[in-house]
Amino acid sequence: MNQSIYCNPELYIDGKPIEFCSSASIKSSGSGQLETFDANINEPSFENKNLFNKKIEFFLNYGSKDGVPLFRGFITSFKASESSISI
């Protein structure tokens, strides 16, 4: 992820920090619909793990460390390839 002085995003899966997240996005369609979170992870330790229904948290940390995540939910689908995992 692009890191600057003011923004230091953090991604956690099942309480464990993910250090190699290349991109993340949150989509909100409004009108009472659920938000969705998409991320690409280049973390070798997740290569053979089942991530289905694992807890996921995304902190934006814009300006300072956040106490509440910008997104909190559960993984409902993921796709693994040779070099990355898409959630």
Side-chain angles (χ1 to χ4, degrees), residues 1 6-10 58-64 66 68-71:
M1 282 191 219
Y6 298 108
C7 186
N8 186 20
E10 295 176 336
F58 180 72
F59 295 85
L60 189 56
N61 296 331
Y62 190 76
S64 66
D66 292 342
V68 176
L70 182 63
F71 180 86

Side-chain angles (χ1 to χ4, degrees), residues 4-85:
S4 66
I5 295 171
Y6 298 108
C7 186
N8 186 20
E10 295 176 336
L11 178 64
Y12 292 87
I13 295 179
D14 234 11
K16 298 176 186 174
I18 306 302
E19 297 193 24
F20 301 104
C21 182
S22 60
S23 68
S25 66
I26 298 174
K27 297 174 190 162
S28 178
S29 57
S31 302
Q33 299 292 323
L34 294 175
E35 292 182 343
T36 59
F37 178 79
D38 298 315
N40 285 330
I41 300 170
N42 301 329
E43 183 107 10
S45 63
F46 284 104
E47 187 175 319
N48 293 319
K49 286 194 175 185
N50 181 9
L51 299 176
F52 184 72
N53 215 21
K54 299 288 184 187
K55 182 178 175 182
I56 188 165
E57 295 177 309
F58 180 72
F59 295 85
L60 189 56
N61 296 331
Y62 190 76
S64 66
K65 194 128 173 110
D66 292 342
V68 176
L70 182 63
F71 180 86
R72 180 182 291 149
F74 293 93
I75 299 173
T76 57
S77 66
F78 66 95
K79 181 180 177 184
S81 69
E82 291 181 15
S83 60
S84 67
I85 297 172

